[in-house]
């Protein structure tokens, strides 16, 4: 009898152990079989994809996983693709990255490396050199007479920084005060002013330098009339649910790319130059987005203070919501709130 009970108990344990194995296996992340890299539009979709193709090819060879470019023509399209989980890795504007990270979809692993003496990346305003629409003072005095070409609202240098640092302090809302507006890529906004389809364009120093190389005749017609403080940097993000060891491999590839010696490293450095990342990429984490969280907060407060409200209590409620969102973002990004 005792032997029978012992055998039955061992059988129950064996069944339980066998049942537990699939459950444990189910919790293990599946191996990554392919990477869809989201390409932020700089010029046209085809041109932007071509810029990234050499680095993505090198990445695929390094990690043994095929990498394809998911190229779009607008920030909005790329944002929707991220929301549909159609993007696994991307180089995003700080605003888009902040949204993707706080939604739990993405994680920051790298950003462009900076070195002392490097030209600072800044938002700029472009106008034609020839009058009459070539004066910043005239623009700020009567914006309703001017035609604006600007970036998407998710663009840090094409919208957010000019709005926060220049236009809102002069009581000008970019979306409503101008005679007309074109919303497009940095290349397209510069071309619009150069060709007389707009009077002023938001842009940035990095993309305007690329524009000078690609369109020297058109660039010669333009001048920079305003530049910002250095804005929040654009990071490289990857799917948060990927295995940590795979994320580490991607980070290692980026931080070592173009850092060696010999013909291969020389070729990699040429690729980095075309991507305006001459010194390569530095390791980063989600805290790299804290400056963007502060910019979002600042923009929200500026808009709230400029808006008309039913009473002061309504404005105060809005300001409190802005502060709560900011505090939540800072906690998620692993930082300390800045005042």
């Amino acid at each position: 009898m005792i032997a029978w009970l012992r055998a039955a108990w061992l059988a129950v344990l064996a069944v339980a152990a066998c049942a537990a194995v699939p459950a444990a296996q189910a919790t293990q992340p599946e191996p990554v079989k392919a990477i869809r890299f989201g390409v932020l539009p700089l010029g046209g979709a085809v041109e932007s994809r071509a810029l990234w193709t050499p680095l993505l090819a090198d990445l695929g060879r390094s990690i043994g996983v095929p990498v394809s470019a998911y190229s779009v023509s607008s920030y909005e399209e790329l944002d929707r693709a991220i929301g549909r989980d159609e993007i696994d890795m991307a180089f995003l504007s700080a605003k888009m990255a902040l949204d993707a990270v706080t939604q739990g979809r993405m994680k920051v692993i790298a950003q462009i490396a900076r070195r002392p003496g490097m030209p600072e990346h800044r938002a700029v305003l472009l106008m034609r050199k020839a009058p009459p629409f070539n004066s910043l003072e005239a623009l700020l005095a009567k914006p309703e007479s001017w035609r604006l070409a600007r970036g998407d609202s998710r663009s840090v240098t094409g919208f957010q920084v000019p709005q926060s640092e220049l236009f809102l302090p002069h009581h000008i809302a970019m979306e409503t005060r101008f005679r007309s507006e074109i919303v497009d890529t940095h290349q397209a906004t510069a071309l619009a002013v150069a060709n007389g389809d707009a009077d002023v364009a938001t842009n940035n120093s990095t993309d305007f330098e690329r524009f000078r190389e690609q369109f020297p005749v058109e660039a010669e017609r333009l001048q920079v009339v305003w530049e910002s403080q250095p804005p929040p940097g654009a990071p490289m993000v990857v799917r948060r649910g990927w295995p940590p060891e795979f994320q580490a491999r991607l980070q290692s590839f980026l931080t070592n790319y173009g850092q060696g010696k010999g013909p291969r490293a020389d070729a990699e450095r040429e690729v980095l130059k075309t991507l305006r990342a001459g010194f390569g990429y530095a390791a980063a984490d989600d805290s790299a987005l804290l400056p963007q969280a502060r910019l979002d907060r600042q923009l929200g407060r500026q808009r709230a203070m400029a808006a008309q409200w039913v009473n002061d209590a309504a404005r105060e409620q809005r300001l409190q919501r802005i502060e709560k969102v900011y505090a939540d973002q800072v906690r998620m990004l692993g930082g300390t709130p800045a005042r």
Side-chain angles (χ1 to χ4, degrees), residues 44-57:
V46 174
E47 177 187 348
S48 299
R49 182 169 62 247
L51 285 173
W52 283 97
T53 295
L55 185 142
L56 299 185

Side-chain angles (χ1 to χ4, degrees), residues 29-322:
E30 293 185 6
V32 178
K33 299 178 180 178
I35 297 175
R36 297 164 296 181
F37 187 92
V39 177
L40 194 66
L42 300 174
V46 174
E47 177 187 348
S48 299
R49 182 169 62 247
L51 285 173
W52 283 97
T53 295
L55 185 142
L56 299 185
D58 288 343
L59 172 61
R61 284 191 291 269
S62 174
I63 63 175
V65 172
V67 182
S68 60
Y70 191 111
S71 185
V72 296
S73 59
S74 70
Y75 283 61
E76 183 179 4
E77 289 181 62
L78 185 55
D79 206 20
R80 287 201 299 262
I82 293 172
R84 295 192 298 263
D85 290 327
E86 295 173 351
I87 301 296
D88 304 309
M89 183 177 180
F91 183 68
L92 299 177
S93 74
K95 170 58 178 171
M96 292 184 69
L98 177 64
D99 292 343
V101 167
T102 54
Q103 291 166 7
R105 298 181 183 278
M106 295 289 184
K107 175 183 178 180
V108 174
I109 60 168
Q111 59 187 168
I112 293 177
R114 310 295 301 177
R115 299 283 179 85
M118 282 182 65
E120 291 280 11
H121 175 72
R122 297 175 187 269
V124 300
L125 276 191
L126 302 176
M127 294 179 185
R128 289 188 297 277
K129 293 177 180 177
F133 293 98
N134 63 341
S135 163
L136 180 60
E137 292 75 16
L139 165 69
L140 297 177
K142 201 173 182 181
E144 57 273 9
S145 299
W146 293 62
R147 298 169 299 167
L148 172 69
R150 66 169 175 88
D152 185 279
S153 61
R154 303 166 186 83
S155 172
V156 174
T157 56
F159 181 82
Q160 289 197 312
V161 169
Q163 178 89 308
S164 178
E165 288 191 22
L166 177 66
F167 290 117
L168 287 182
H170 285 87
H171 311 291
I172 299 169
M174 291 171 66
E175 311 96 309
T176 58
R177 286 292 302 279
F178 288 89
R179 175 181 162 191
S180 64
E181 70 173 7
I182 297 170
V183 179
D184 215 319
T185 64
H186 293 306
Q187 182 186 103
T189 59
L191 281 172
V193 176
N195 293 330
D197 297 320
D199 304 313
V200 59
T202 61
N203 217 281
N204 67 61
S205 54
T206 304
D207 283 308
F208 188 47
E209 184 61 33
R210 181 184 284 115
F211 184 84
R212 288 181 188 277
E213 297 172 2
Q214 295 177 309
F215 302 94
V217 174
E218 289 81 359
E220 186 57 32
R221 304 171 193 159
L222 302 175
Q223 62 176 329
V224 174
V225 298
W226 173 84
E227 66 177 21
S228 72
Q229 295 298 312
M236 191 78 72
V237 299
V238 299
R239 186 180 291 275
R240 185 171 293 276
W242 272 351
E245 61 275 12
F246 189 75
Q247 294 182 24
R249 288 176 62 194
L250 294 175
Q251 186 180 66
S252 177
F253 167 83
L254 291 169
T255 56
N256 288 300
Y257 193 77
Q259 303 305 310
K261 295 181 179 181
R264 179 176 176 179
D266 291 340
E268 292 174 351
R269 281 187 282 272
E270 290 301 314
V271 172
L272 290 170
K273 287 179 184 177
T274 65
L275 295 171
R276 296 302 190 269
F279 291 102
Y281 298 95
D285 56 27
D286 290 347
S287 66
L289 295 173
L290 287 168
Q292 180 60 42
R294 290 193 287 270
L295 176 58
D296 274 12
R297 170 180 175 259
Q298 180 178 335
L299 264 174
R301 290 185 62 86
Q302 286 174 311
R303 286 170 169 155
M305 297 304 294
Q308 294 184 356
W309 299 88
V310 175
N311 51 46
D312 290 343
R315 175 186 284 112
E316 184 58 31
Q317 286 181 351
R318 177 58 181 162
L319 291 171
Q320 289 177 4
R321 285 198 297 271
I322 292 169

